[in-house]
CSV table of all heavy atoms in Angstrom, one decimal:
chain,number,residue,atom,x,y,z
A,1068,ALA,N,-33.0,9.6,31.4
A,1068,ALA,CA,-32.3,8.5,30.7
A,1068,ALA,C,-33.1,8.0,29.6
A,1068,ALA,O,-34.3,8.0,29.6
A,1068,ALA,CB,-32.0,7.4,31.7
A,1069,ILE,N,-32.4,7.4,28.6
A,1069,ILE,CA,-33.0,6.7,27.5
A,1069,ILE,C,-32.8,5.2,27.6
A,1069,ILE,O,-31.6,4.8,27.6
A,1069,ILE,CB,-32.5,7.2,26.1
A,1069,ILE,CG1,-32.8,8.7,26.0
A,1069,ILE,CG2,-33.1,6.4,25.0
A,1069,ILE,CD1,-32.1,9.3,24.8
A,1070,HIS,N,-33.8,4.4,27.8
A,1070,HIS,CA,-33.7,3.0,28.0
A,1070,HIS,C,-34.6,2.2,27.0
A,1070,HIS,O,-34.5,1.0,26.9
A,1070,HIS,CB,-34.0,2.5,29.4
A,1070,HIS,CG,-33.1,3.1,30.4
A,1070,HIS,ND1,-31.8,2.8,30.6
A,1070,HIS,CD2,-33.3,4.1,31.4
A,1070,HIS,CE1,-31.2,3.4,31.5
A,1070,HIS,NE2,-32.1,4.3,32.0
A,1071,ARG,N,-35.5,3.0,26.4
A,1071,ARG,CA,-36.5,2.3,25.5
A,1071,ARG,C,-36.7,3.1,24.2
A,1071,ARG,O,-36.3,4.2,24.1
A,1071,ARG,CB,-37.9,2.3,26.3
A,1071,ARG,CG,-37.8,1.6,27.7
A,1071,ARG,CD,-39.1,1.5,28.3
A,1071,ARG,NE,-40.0,0.5,27.8
A,1071,ARG,CZ,-39.9,-0.8,28.0
A,1071,ARG,NH1,-38.9,-1.3,28.8
A,1071,ARG,NH2,-40.7,-1.7,27.4
A,1072,ILE,N,-37.3,2.4,23.2
A,1072,ILE,CA,-37.6,3.0,21.9
A,1072,ILE,C,-39.0,2.6,21.6
A,1072,ILE,O,-39.5,1.6,22.1
A,1072,ILE,CB,-36.6,2.5,20.8
A,1072,ILE,CG1,-36.5,1.0,20.7
A,1072,ILE,CG2,-35.3,3.2,21.0
A,1072,ILE,CD1,-35.6,0.5,19.6
A,1073,ILE,N,-39.6,3.4,20.8
A,1073,ILE,CA,-41.0,3.1,20.3
A,1073,ILE,C,-41.2,3.4,18.9
A,1073,ILE,O,-40.6,4.4,18.4
A,1073,ILE,CB,-42.0,3.9,21.2
A,1073,ILE,CG1,-43.5,3.4,20.9
A,1073,ILE,CG2,-41.9,5.4,21.0
A,1073,ILE,CD1,-44.5,3.9,21.9
A,1074,ASP,N,-41.9,2.5,18.2
A,1074,ASP,CA,-42.3,2.8,16.8
A,1074,ASP,C,-43.3,3.9,16.8
A,1074,ASP,O,-44.3,3.9,17.6
A,1074,ASP,CB,-42.8,1.5,16.1
A,1074,ASP,CG,-41.8,0.4,16.1
A,1074,ASP,OD1,-40.6,0.7,15.8
A,1074,ASP,OD2,-42.2,-0.8,16.2
A,1075,THR,N,-43.1,4.9,15.9
A,1075,THR,CA,-44.0,6.0,15.9
A,1075,THR,C,-45.4,5.6,15.6
A,1075,THR,O,-46.4,6.3,16.0
A,1075,THR,CB,-43.5,7.1,15.0
A,1075,THR,OG1,-43.3,6.6,13.7
A,1075,THR,CG2,-42.2,7.7,15.5
A,1076,ALA,N,-45.6,4.6,14.8
A,1076,ALA,CA,-47.0,4.2,14.4
A,1076,ALA,C,-47.7,3.7,15.7
A,1076,ALA,O,-49.0,3.9,15.8
A,1076,ALA,CB,-46.9,3.0,13.4
A,1077,ARG,N,-47.0,3.2,16.7
A,1077,ARG,CA,-47.7,2.8,17.9
A,1077,ARG,C,-48.1,4.0,18.7
A,1077,ARG,O,-49.1,3.9,19.5
A,1077,ARG,CB,-46.8,1.9,18.7
A,1077,ARG,CG,-46.5,0.6,17.9
A,1077,ARG,CD,-45.8,-0.5,18.8
A,1077,ARG,NE,-46.9,-1.1,19.6
A,1077,ARG,CZ,-46.7,-2.0,20.5
A,1077,ARG,NH1,-45.5,-2.4,20.7
A,1077,ARG,NH2,-47.7,-2.5,21.1
A,1078,LEU,N,-47.3,5.1,18.6
A,1078,LEU,CA,-47.7,6.3,19.4
A,1078,LEU,C,-49.0,6.9,19.0
A,1078,LEU,O,-49.7,7.4,19.9
A,1078,LEU,CB,-46.6,7.4,19.2
A,1078,LEU,CG,-45.4,7.4,20.1
A,1078,LEU,CD1,-44.4,8.5,19.6
A,1078,LEU,CD2,-45.8,7.7,21.5
A,1079,GLU,N,-49.4,6.7,17.8
A,1079,GLU,CA,-50.6,7.3,17.3
A,1079,GLU,C,-51.9,6.8,18.0
A,1079,GLU,O,-52.9,7.4,18.0
A,1079,GLU,CB,-50.8,7.1,15.8
A,1079,GLU,CG,-49.7,7.8,15.0
A,1079,GLU,CD,-49.8,7.6,13.5
A,1079,GLU,OE1,-50.9,7.3,13.0
A,1079,GLU,OE2,-48.8,7.7,12.8
A,1080,ASN,N,-51.8,5.6,18.5
A,1080,ASN,CA,-52.9,4.9,19.1
A,1080,ASN,C,-53.0,5.1,20.6
A,1080,ASN,O,-53.8,4.6,21.3
A,1080,ASN,CB,-52.9,3.4,18.8
A,1080,ASN,CG,-52.9,3.2,17.3
A,1080,ASN,OD1,-53.7,3.8,16.6
A,1080,ASN,ND2,-52.1,2.2,16.9
A,1081,LEU,N,-52.0,5.8,21.2
A,1081,LEU,CA,-51.9,6.0,22.6
A,1081,LEU,C,-52.5,7.3,23.1
A,1081,LEU,O,-52.5,8.3,22.4
A,1081,LEU,CB,-50.4,5.9,23.1
A,1081,LEU,CG,-49.7,4.7,22.7
A,1081,LEU,CD1,-48.2,4.8,23.2
A,1081,LEU,CD2,-50.4,3.4,23.3
A,1082,THR,N,-53.1,7.3,24.3
A,1082,THR,CA,-53.7,8.5,24.8
A,1082,THR,C,-53.1,9.0,26.1
A,1082,THR,O,-53.2,10.1,26.5
A,1082,THR,CB,-55.2,8.3,25.0
A,1082,THR,OG1,-55.5,7.2,25.8
A,1082,THR,CG2,-55.9,8.1,23.6
A,1083,ALA,N,-52.5,8.1,26.8
A,1083,ALA,CA,-51.9,8.4,28.1
A,1083,ALA,C,-50.4,8.0,28.1
A,1083,ALA,O,-50.0,7.0,27.5
A,1083,ALA,CB,-52.6,7.6,29.2
A,1084,TRP,N,-49.6,8.9,28.8
A,1084,TRP,CA,-48.2,8.7,28.8
A,1084,TRP,C,-47.8,7.3,29.4
A,1084,TRP,O,-46.8,6.7,29.0
A,1084,TRP,CB,-47.5,9.8,29.6
A,1084,TRP,CG,-46.0,9.6,29.5
A,1084,TRP,CD1,-45.2,9.2,30.6
A,1084,TRP,CD2,-45.1,9.7,28.4
A,1084,TRP,NE1,-43.9,9.1,30.2
A,1084,TRP,CE2,-43.8,9.3,28.9
A,1084,TRP,CE3,-45.3,10.0,27.1
A,1084,TRP,CZ2,-42.7,9.3,28.0
A,1084,TRP,CZ3,-44.2,9.9,26.2
A,1084,TRP,CH2,-42.9,9.6,26.7
A,1085,CYS,N,-48.6,6.9,30.4
A,1085,CYS,CA,-48.3,5.6,31.0
A,1085,CYS,C,-48.3,4.4,30.0
A,1085,CYS,O,-47.7,3.4,30.3
A,1085,CYS,CB,-49.2,5.3,32.2
A,1085,CYS,SG,-50.9,5.2,31.8
A,1086,ASP,N,-49.1,4.6,28.9
A,1086,ASP,CA,-49.1,3.5,27.9
A,1086,ASP,C,-47.9,3.5,27.0
A,1086,ASP,O,-47.7,2.5,26.4
A,1086,ASP,CB,-50.4,3.8,27.0
A,1086,ASP,CG,-51.7,3.7,27.8
A,1086,ASP,OD1,-51.7,2.9,28.8
A,1086,ASP,OD2,-52.6,4.4,27.4
A,1087,VAL,N,-47.1,4.6,27.0
A,1087,VAL,CA,-45.9,4.6,26.2
A,1087,VAL,C,-44.9,3.5,26.6
A,1087,VAL,O,-44.4,2.8,25.7
A,1087,VAL,CB,-45.3,6.0,26.2
A,1087,VAL,CG1,-43.9,6.0,25.5
A,1087,VAL,CG2,-46.2,7.0,25.6
A,1088,GLU,N,-44.7,3.4,27.9
A,1088,GLU,CA,-43.7,2.4,28.4
A,1088,GLU,C,-44.2,1.0,28.0
A,1088,GLU,O,-43.4,0.1,27.5
A,1088,GLU,CB,-43.5,2.5,29.9
A,1088,GLU,CG,-42.4,1.5,30.3
A,1088,GLU,CD,-42.0,1.7,31.7
A,1088,GLU,OE1,-41.8,2.9,32.1
A,1088,GLU,OE2,-41.8,0.7,32.4
A,1089,LYS,N,-45.5,0.7,28.1
A,1089,LYS,CA,-46.0,-0.6,27.7
A,1089,LYS,C,-45.8,-0.9,26.2
A,1089,LYS,O,-45.6,-2.0,25.8
A,1089,LYS,CB,-47.5,-0.7,28.1
A,1089,LYS,CG,-47.7,-0.7,29.6
A,1089,LYS,CD,-49.2,-0.7,29.9
A,1089,LYS,CE,-49.5,-0.3,31.3
A,1089,LYS,NZ,-50.9,0.0,31.6
A,1090,ALA,N,-46.0,0.2,25.4
A,1090,ALA,CA,-45.9,0.0,23.9
A,1090,ALA,C,-44.5,0.1,23.4
A,1090,ALA,O,-44.3,-0.3,22.3
A,1090,ALA,CB,-46.8,1.1,23.3
A,1091,SER,N,-43.6,0.5,24.2
A,1091,SER,CA,-42.2,0.6,23.8
A,1091,SER,C,-41.4,-0.6,24.1
A,1091,SER,O,-41.9,-1.5,24.8
A,1091,SER,CB,-41.5,1.8,24.4
A,1091,SER,OG,-41.5,1.7,25.8
A,1092,ARG,N,-40.2,-0.7,23.6
A,1092,ARG,CA,-39.3,-1.9,23.9
A,1092,ARG,C,-38.0,-1.4,24.4
A,1092,ARG,O,-37.6,-0.3,24.1
A,1092,ARG,CB,-39.2,-2.8,22.6
A,1092,ARG,CG,-38.5,-2.1,21.4
A,1092,ARG,CD,-38.6,-3.0,20.2
A,1092,ARG,NE,-37.9,-2.4,19.1
A,1092,ARG,CZ,-38.4,-1.5,18.2
A,1092,ARG,NH1,-39.6,-1.0,18.4
A,1092,ARG,NH2,-37.7,-1.0,17.2
A,1093,LYS,N,-37.4,-2.3,25.1
A,1093,LYS,CA,-36.1,-2.0,25.7
A,1093,LYS,C,-35.0,-1.9,24.6
A,1093,LYS,O,-35.0,-2.6,23.7
A,1093,LYS,CB,-35.6,-3.0,26.7
A,1093,LYS,CG,-36.4,-3.0,28.0
A,1093,LYS,CD,-35.9,-4.0,29.0
A,1093,LYS,CE,-36.6,-3.9,30.3
A,1093,LYS,NZ,-36.1,-4.8,31.3
A,1094,VAL,N,-34.1,-0.9,24.8
A,1094,VAL,CA,-32.9,-0.8,23.9
A,1094,VAL,C,-32.0,-2.0,24.2
A,1094,VAL,O,-31.7,-2.3,25.4
A,1094,VAL,CB,-32.2,0.5,24.2
A,1094,VAL,CG1,-30.9,0.5,23.4
A,1094,VAL,CG2,-33.1,1.7,23.9
Side-chain angles (χ1 to χ4, degrees):
I1069 298 170
H1070 299 289
R1071 304 184 74 78
I1072 54 178
I1073 188 166
D1074 296 323
T1075 56
R1077 297 193 80 184
L1078 270 174
E1079 294 178 28
N1080 302 318
L1081 303 179
T1082 56
W1084 181 252
C1085 61
D1086 297 330
V1087 172
E1088 187 169 314
K1089 294 174 193 169
S1091 64
R1092 61 189 183 278
K1093 287 184 178 181
V1094 172

